[in-house]
Amino acid sequence: MDADSLPSGVGLATRSGKPAVDAVVVGAGFGGMYSIHKLTGLGLNVLGIEAGHDVGGTWYWNRYPGARCDVESMEYSYSFDEDLQQEWEWTERYARQPEILSYASHVADRFDLRDQILFNTRVASARFDESDDLWVVRTDSGTEVISQYLILATGMLSSANKPSFEGMDSFKGDIYHTGQWPQDGVDFAGKRVGVIGTGSSGIQSIPVIASEAQHLTVFQRTPNYSVPAKNRPLDPEEIAEIKAIYPEFRAANRQQSSGFGSLRPRGEVGALEVDAEVRTAEYERRWNVGGFDFLRGYVDLMINSESNQTAADFARAKIAEIVSDPETAKLLSPTQLIGCKRLCVDTDYFQTYNRSNVDLVDISERPLAFAKDGLVVGEDLTELDCVVLATGFDAMTGSISKIEIAGRGGVTMNDKWSAGPVNYLGLTIAGFPNLFTITGPGSPSVLTNMIVAIEQHVEWIADAVATQAAEGYKTLEATEVAESRWVNHVNSIADATLFPSCNSWYVGANVPGKPRVFMPLIGFPDYAAECDRVAQAGYEGFIRS
Ligand code: FAD
Ligand code: NAP
């Protein structure tokens, strides 16, 4: 890369003959976009590098039918700019993928972000050069850029998990992954379609594919819990009511463990402290409200398995009520605790199995393989024209591990994280100075409304960078002691809950060979307070030089 081939909004500077910037931000989803905006606002020269051809991240890649947010749109949006949040109009309670992508595009236009982003470019490696305390970032085309700061906004759910099923190469039809959906869409009309996977992506896409395809066969390894979204158009009056209190509403959401839902009361007692009748009525009420509210009725649902079972029983009874064929209903009924795998939110998911053009195939005990004409389970061939892999992501560490990152002494991130991710505050890694991860493992990340988590991270990083400059420091680096204390802290909180008990992607169980570690940190407000305390204490747990 020549300095003059940088995007037009990046200032021209060179170092050792290579282009040099103050910060490289990898990824142009909501994390990368806000990082670029915020750091540029500090007067830094910032270069964004994005593998896709435009902004949006998750919402750029996940264009599968039915893709939509399951945090409400008035909450799943940036809060950092009052004019932006007042002017943007969401149309539905839960925004569809195209609407969220338009919002990302609007933000990019509004803050002139595209001028600073190199699109269609993947960061392949990054090496910390100890001779001058700078990062040397290399792209997939082999060009290099030098930077003081390296921000990995590469996404927690951005590295597609594509299992290698036997015979996959022999299949004559097309294979699509939900997280790498063709830009021009897919026409399922008249097709026999197979979907593998019944997590959130499968559960959102299955009803829509069923309504378009000639026939749909769903291949399920583990049934999942799903609550109805109860999606609907937004009423202009309710939009106006929230906009009238937007700053207070956002602040209240930041005090919620999930980063949303402050207008809806949480339960204040344990599930077993009330009579069964009261409990069932409360579950019914929350089921009808729709969305994640269902799991907010009682304070101990994620810490007491007996309490959890009451909610799980209710959700299973709903499946039995909705699905007409008792055998199919049984197959769709999860046996694990509810909520320890990410709860799904759907529109007519279970109802879809009552359609005459939909079949469910259990693959929990018989291996699945591809054949020339379809998918084979045991001896049975299902003839298919195309297959959708709704098989999820190498979550939280996948996109970071695909970049060869070498810190002090040439130690690589992949070696350092070989037994699972370790870091301090979920933001920084000992031995990797001036490198920050956005919503990384060890932070609340995927357990919260992620835009809330992103804003908190970006603002903390920007404050740290500004403080460095003001106080004359060049590098900020976590100590190993602080890092190891943090890892213990994250684990001890997780171990006091039911979360680690399931084979979820939170623990890496969906990717064969991945170390089993509960990766996110539970509890957003306490976490944010600790980040602030660390900064106010003069960056406790960091070495500054
Ligand atoms: P991403 O949006 O994933 O962006 C990361 C970007 O980095 C990508 O564009 C990728 O191309 C780029 N990148 C990665 N590696 C490289 C590299 N080496 N070089 C260059 N570029 C690279 N969260 C919620 O809070 N609520 C929801 O309802 C919700 N729904 C979701 C639905 C789906 C289908 C998925 C997959 C996730 C959902 N999430 C949801 C999580 C979602 O990922 C976050 O809300 C948010 O969009 C993440 O933004 P990000 O910028 O951190 O990461
Ligand atoms: P996921 O939750 O990991 O689900 C993947 C599905 O594929 C599971 O049913 C899994 O079965 C199955 N699978 C994986 N490997 C398989 C294999 N080798 N053989 C057979 N089946 C296999 O992935 P996802 O649905 O893409 O969702 C990931 C996360 O993205 C969500 O949890 C959520 O955070 C986010 N998301 C959110 C929304 C939203 O509603 N807004 C939508 C989509 C995604 P097992 O359970 O047996 O592993």
Side-chain angles (χ1 to χ4, degrees):
M1 193 191 307
D2 301 324
D4 55 9
S5 66
L6 291 179
S8 58
V10 181
L12 299 185
T14 50
R15 216 181 157 101
S16 319
K18 290 174 186 158
V21 293
D22 298 316
V24 165
V25 174
V26 191
F30 286 122
M33 288 165 70
Y34 187 36
S35 301
I36 294 168
H37 174 65
K38 192 80 188 163
L39 294 176
T40 305
L42 294 178
L44 267 62
N45 204 4
V46 185
L47 170 67
I49 305 181
E50 165 57 54
H53 82 241
D54 204 352
V55 297
T58 288
W59 306 102
Y60 167 89
W61 295 105
N62 289 264
R63 299 171 189 236
Y64 59 83
R68 68 168 76 236
C69 210
D70 55 13
V71 168
E72 298 189 36
S73 42
M74 295 299 290
E75 303 177 78
Y76 186 82
S77 44
Y78 286 126
S79 71
F80 68 81
D81 187 279
E82 180 60 8
D83 291 342
L84 169 67
Q85 68 181 4
Q86 289 298 337
E87 284 168 28
W88 184 263
E89 288 284 314
W90 294 104
T91 61
E92 289 178 86
R93 178 178 178 192
Y94 298 97
R96 288 174 63 226
Q97 170 271 331
E99 191 173 23
I100 306 175
L101 190 58
S102 310
Y103 171 73
S105 181
H106 169 79
V107 172
D109 287 342
R110 192 180 181 105
F111 299 106
D112 280 335
L113 302 179
R114 288 191 182 86
D115 280 357
Q116 285 165 269
I117 304 172
L118 200 55
F119 290 107
N120 300 311
T121 306
R122 196 165 271 284
V123 169
S125 69
R127 174 175 56 82
F128 187 68
D129 184 342
E130 289 182 71
S131 62
D132 48 12
D133 286 339
L134 292 167
W135 283 95
V136 182
V137 179
R138 197 177 166 87
T139 70
D140 51 2
S141 59
T143 52
E144 290 185 337
V145 61
I146 312 275
S147 179
Q148 184 180 0
Y149 294 103
L150 177 59
I151 318 290
L152 299 180
T154 45
M156 295 296 107
L157 294 159
S158 54
S159 178
N161 173 38
K162 288 187 180 166
S164 51
F165 294 101
E166 199 187 309
M168 218 161 167
D169 293 341
S170 67
F171 181 57
K172 285 187 314 197
D174 289 320
I175 302 176
Y176 309 102
H177 189 282
T178 51
Q180 295 175 343
W181 204 254
Q183 304 272 310
D184 300 330
V186 178
D187 182 6
F188 289 117
K191 300 258 172 70
R192 297 161 304 171
V193 185
V195 172
I196 306 173
T198 50
S200 297
S201 304
I203 279 174
Q204 283 190 329
S205 56
I206 284 165
V208 184
I209 297 175
S211 70
E212 293 173 0
Q214 181 200 106
H215 195 275
L216 169 67
T217 311
V218 177
F219 296 84
Q220 172 190 270
R221 186 166 69 180
T222 314
N224 246 320
Y225 294 98
S226 185
V227 292
K230 305 278 178 186
N231 188 38
R232 53 177 169 74
L234 278 176
D235 172 354
E237 272 179 32
E238 70 183 306
I239 295 180
E241 273 169 28
I242 290 183
K243 284 189 174 176
I245 53 156
Y246 233 153
E248 299 88 323
F249 177 52
R250 302 288 200 177
N253 275 352
R254 284 192 280 271
Q255 292 310 311
Q256 302 288 310
S257 175
S258 52
F260 62 83
S262 59
L263 289 182
R264 296 222 172 83
R266 297 183 76 99
E268 287 174 1
V269 297
L272 305 177
E273 290 177 54
V274 297
D275 291 345
E277 264 178 29
V278 172
R279 204 166 48 224
T280 305
E282 180 63 1
Y283 286 141
E284 185 71 37
R285 190 185 69 72
R286 288 179 179 270
W287 185 272
N288 290 326
V289 168
F292 292 121
D293 223 41
F294 181 71
L295 274 188
R296 291 158 48 98
Y298 296 101
V299 290
D300 58 350
L301 292 181
M302 292 315 298
I303 49 176
N304 178 334
S305 57
E306 214 185 318
S307 296
N308 186 292
Q309 281 300 350
T310 64
D313 285 345
F314 181 92
R316 281 189 287 259
K318 281 289 179 194
I319 298 171
E321 193 183 303
I322 298 168
V323 179
S324 319
D325 173 44
E327 267 311 298
T328 307
K330 198 168 160 210
L331 273 182
L332 288 167
S333 288
T335 51
Q336 72 269 19
L337 296 172
I338 185 168
C340 65
K341 274 188 164 187
R342 164 70 147 69
L343 186 63
C344 303
V345 179
D346 71 278
T347 298
D348 294 339
Y349 173 64
F350 294 114
Q351 288 83 345
T352 300
Y353 293 93
N354 296 335
R355 293 178 66 108
S356 58
N357 71 333
V358 176
D359 288 320
L360 177 66
V361 175
D362 173 22
I363 54 168
S364 60
E365 281 165 17
R366 295 182 300 165
L368 177 75
F370 278 78
K372 185 163 64 73
D373 296 318
L375 286 167
V376 182
V377 181
E379 302 288 296
D380 306 328
L381 168 73
T382 304
E383 291 192 8
L384 298 167
D385 300 308
C386 57
V387 171
V388 173
L389 300 177
T391 46
F393 301 89
D394 180 355
M396 306 209 72
T397 53
S399 287
I400 296 176
S401 70
K402 286 203 171 102
I403 307 174
E404 278 177 44
I405 305 173
R408 284 198 194 281
V411 172
T412 68
M413 187 87 93
N414 285 333
D415 275 347
K416 175 146 184 165
W417 284 10
S418 60
V422 290
N423 60 24
Y424 180 40
L425 299 177
L427 275 161
T428 63
I429 300 129
F432 297 79
N434 287 354
L435 180 152
F436 298 94
T437 53
I438 305 286
T439 64
S443 77
S445 180
V446 292
L447 297 179
T448 55
N449 173 352
M450 286 200 72
I451 299 201
V452 169
I454 283 168
E455 288 191 331
Q456 184 260 342
H457 265 191
V458 172
E459 285 159 16
W460 192 92
I461 293 166
D463 282 348
V465 166
T467 308
Q468 291 274 97
E471 296 179 4
Y473 292 109
K474 200 171 169 203
T475 58
L476 181 74
E477 182 179 354
T479 66
E480 297 213 336
V481 173
E483 184 171 79
S484 121
R485 262 199 224 124
W486 188 255
V487 172
N488 290 339
H489 172 66
V490 174
N491 290 339
S492 68
I493 292 184
D495 289 344
T497 73
L498 302 171
F499 278 103
S501 68
C502 282
N503 287 327
S504 65
W505 58 258
Y506 294 141
V507 297
N510 62 330
V511 176
K514 196 163 170 174
R516 192 181 175 106
V517 176
F518 186 79
M519 293 179 279
L521 168 69
I522 299 159
F524 180 76
D526 289 349
Y527 166 77
E530 177 61 8
C531 290
D532 289 346
R533 190 196 65 74
V534 163
Q536 279 151 20
Y539 291 90
E540 185 184 292
F542 287 94
I543 301 163
R544 299 196 287 168
S545 59

